[in-house]
Amino acid sequence: MPYLGLYFEMRGMNSVQIGMLNSLFYVVTIISAMTIGYFADKTRRPRLTVSICFSCVVLVVLYMSRATTLPHLAAAYALYGYFVVSCCDLVDKLLLEQLGDDTRYFGLFRVGSPLGYSGGAILAGALIPRLGTTSLFPVCMLFAALCVAMSLLMKESSGMPRRKKARVPVKQLFTNWQSAYIYGTMVLWGFSEAGALSYLAVYMSDRGFSTEYTSVLITIAIVGQTVAFSLMPAIQPVLHPKTMVMLGFLVFSGRILSLALVGMQQFPFLLVAVFHFVGGSAQALILTPITLMIGRSFSREVSSTAQTLKTVASKGIGSSTGAFLYGWLYSQLPARGVMLLFTCLIFGFGILSRLGGMWVDARTKAAAAQQGV
């Protein structure tokens, strides 16, 4: 994903067009999460749904590798987003079911995600200078095929009867005060993450840094994320879930600040690396408590849709807005200035998320008290 911007640039796309492609990718995830999550709940077969989606990813990547014009690239990227994005949410649901009541180790099992991403970033950074950006596609197809094979080894969702007309109580998702906090937070996170990182390769290239240098920074951040996921069993009993979320935004703002200052003599590589390591923990600090909140807040009959809705909020709404806004600002303002602006926004989002969490908790307690009377 971080290097697709370079591929689009190679195909003659400017920053605004790349922003439009990224926005389209994230908007399509709204349709994806709603339909794929609902399909998994309706059929009671989330594992089979994951296998089908990854099979389609193989074909879509093949199509993208042959696309040369903006309409074909847009169609391929949209289809890629449709099939790939919701899979992780469904895997989260299956993992929570296997863990049962002992959710302390959710983050520990989630370590595989950053490790895979880190390996992919390193491999991409090594391949692009030698074979070009088109070399990414066969590698992506290979790993998507491996995902199909591995998904077939997973256990199918259990505990719910499979009926031809299974009921999916979607209303639950919109009648719970926690929903406002959960999905509102994911909108802010999607805006923050995609706003800066979807242009990371382009930004670093324009600043004169090589893809290997960019890969090193991504890898350092992923190592920080891996460590944070590994430490979740120790962190969860100590920090309130909503405090963890706020902390995630704050450390991520530090990572973006380091990108704004990268290359300055007063801000050496060691400091950039430290900020990336600490800032890399943001995803673990935000997604772990949010995923567990969803598991506790909604019934199993609607759990697949509830999990995929966090993708609607983060990537469909937040990321599409953040990527488009960043692309437009990138064409109007100095690149470093845009990074500084996003640093301030993300820091503010952290404070806002905590205040919003306090308000939601107060409303939830008030509603519970009224029902008790």
Side-chain angles (χ1 to χ4, degrees):
M1 284 293 290
Y3 295 101
L4 275 177
L6 288 178
Y7 176 74
F8 295 147
E9 197 173 50
M10 183 196 76
R11 291 297 188 186
M13 308 295 114
N14 58 39
S15 62
V16 174
Q17 289 173 319
I18 294 173
M20 291 173 62
L21 287 172
N22 285 328
S23 296
L24 176 64
F25 173 89
Y26 294 121
V27 168
V28 167
T29 62
I30 297 177
I31 304 171
S32 167
M34 293 298 293
T35 56
I36 291 177
Y38 186 83
F39 176 80
D41 280 326
K42 194 74 174 176
T43 61
R44 305 290 195 250
R45 291 184 177 273
R47 197 274 302 161
L48 179 61
T49 305
V50 171
S51 301
I52 293 172
C53 287
F54 275 121
S55 298
C56 293
V57 168
V58 176
L59 299 176
V60 169
V61 172
L62 176 62
Y63 171 41
M64 189 185 298
S65 68
R66 298 172 179 270
T68 56
T69 63
L70 180 60
H72 281 289
L73 285 171
Y77 202 28
L79 288 170
Y80 178 79
Y82 181 83
F83 288 113
V84 79
V85 170
S86 298
C87 290
C88 290
D89 295 324
L90 294 180
V91 172
D92 283 346
K93 170 212 163 51
L94 292 168
L95 176 56
L96 285 175
E97 286 185 358
Q98 296 302 313
L99 292 174
D101 295 329
D102 193 3
T103 57
R104 292 173 302 162
Y105 296 100
F106 172 80
L108 197 58
F109 281 99
R110 202 63 163 72
V111 165
S113 177
L115 287 177
Y117 189 94
S118 178
I122 294 172
L123 182 59
L127 286 175
I128 290 174
R130 296 165 177 81
L131 302 175
T133 53
T134 55
S135 62
L136 299 179
F137 295 110
V139 176
C140 183
M141 291 171 62
L142 173 62
F143 280 103
L146 289 174
C147 287
V148 175
M150 295 179 68
S151 68
L152 293 174
L153 300 176
M154 297 170 63
K155 290 184 178 180
E156 187 60 271
S157 183
S158 59
M160 294 182 294
R162 297 190 181 101
R163 301 188 297 269
K164 290 184 178 180
K165 294 184 178 180
R167 180 174 172 271
V168 183
V170 177
K171 187 179 179 181
Q172 282 186 28
L173 304 175
F174 306 101
T175 57
N176 188 326
W177 279 109
Q178 291 299 328
S179 296
Y181 172 79
I182 290 169
Y183 299 120
T185 297
M186 292 309 296
V187 169
L188 297 180
W189 171 240
F191 183 96
S192 304
E193 186 181 35
L197 297 189
S198 61
Y199 280 85
L200 177 58
V202 175
Y203 172 80
M204 296 299 288
S205 177
D206 290 346
R207 295 292 306 277
F209 295 97
S210 65
T211 55
E212 287 92 343
Y213 187 92
T214 305
S215 293
V216 168
L217 292 184
I218 293 173
T219 301
I220 291 171
I222 295 298
V223 170
Q225 182 181 331
T226 303
V227 171
F229 271 125
S230 302
L231 293 176
M232 277 299 140
I235 295 174
Q236 285 175 243
V238 177
L239 289 179
H240 188 280
K242 294 182 174 69
T243 301
M244 287 174 58
V245 171
M246 178 186 71
L247 184 61
F249 279 104
L250 298 186
V251 298
F252 190 69
S253 69
R255 179 183 174 185
I256 303 306
L257 176 63
S258 72
L259 289 174
L261 302 179
V262 67
M264 296 179 63
Q265 187 175 1
Q266 302 89 336
F267 204 81
F269 174 77
L270 180 60
L271 274 179
V272 177
V274 170
F275 274 73
H276 268 68
F277 179 82
V278 176
S281 66
Q283 190 172 55
L285 291 169
I286 293 173
L287 290 187
T288 299
I290 290 293
T291 302
L292 297 180
M293 284 181 209
I294 292 173
R296 290 192 297 264
S297 301
F298 307 108
S299 67
R300 294 184 68 179
E301 289 78 10
V302 76
S303 57
S304 294
T305 306
Q307 291 291 353
T308 55
L309 268 182
K310 72 176 187 277
T311 297
V312 171
S314 65
K315 299 189 182 300
I317 300 174
S319 295
S320 60
T321 306
F324 182 79
L325 178 62
Y326 190 96
W328 181 78
L329 290 173
Y330 198 81
S331 66
Q332 303 295 319
L333 301 174
R336 180 174 290 172
V338 180
M339 285 293 185
L340 288 172
L341 175 60
F342 267 73
T343 297
C344 297
L345 283 174
I346 295 165
F347 188 91
F349 289 163
I351 305 301
L352 179 62
S353 72
R354 192 65 186 95
L355 294 175
M358 294 169 62
W359 180 80
V360 166
D361 287 344
R363 296 290 297 182
T364 302
K365 290 179 180 179
Q370 286 182 347
Q371 289 179 354
V373 174

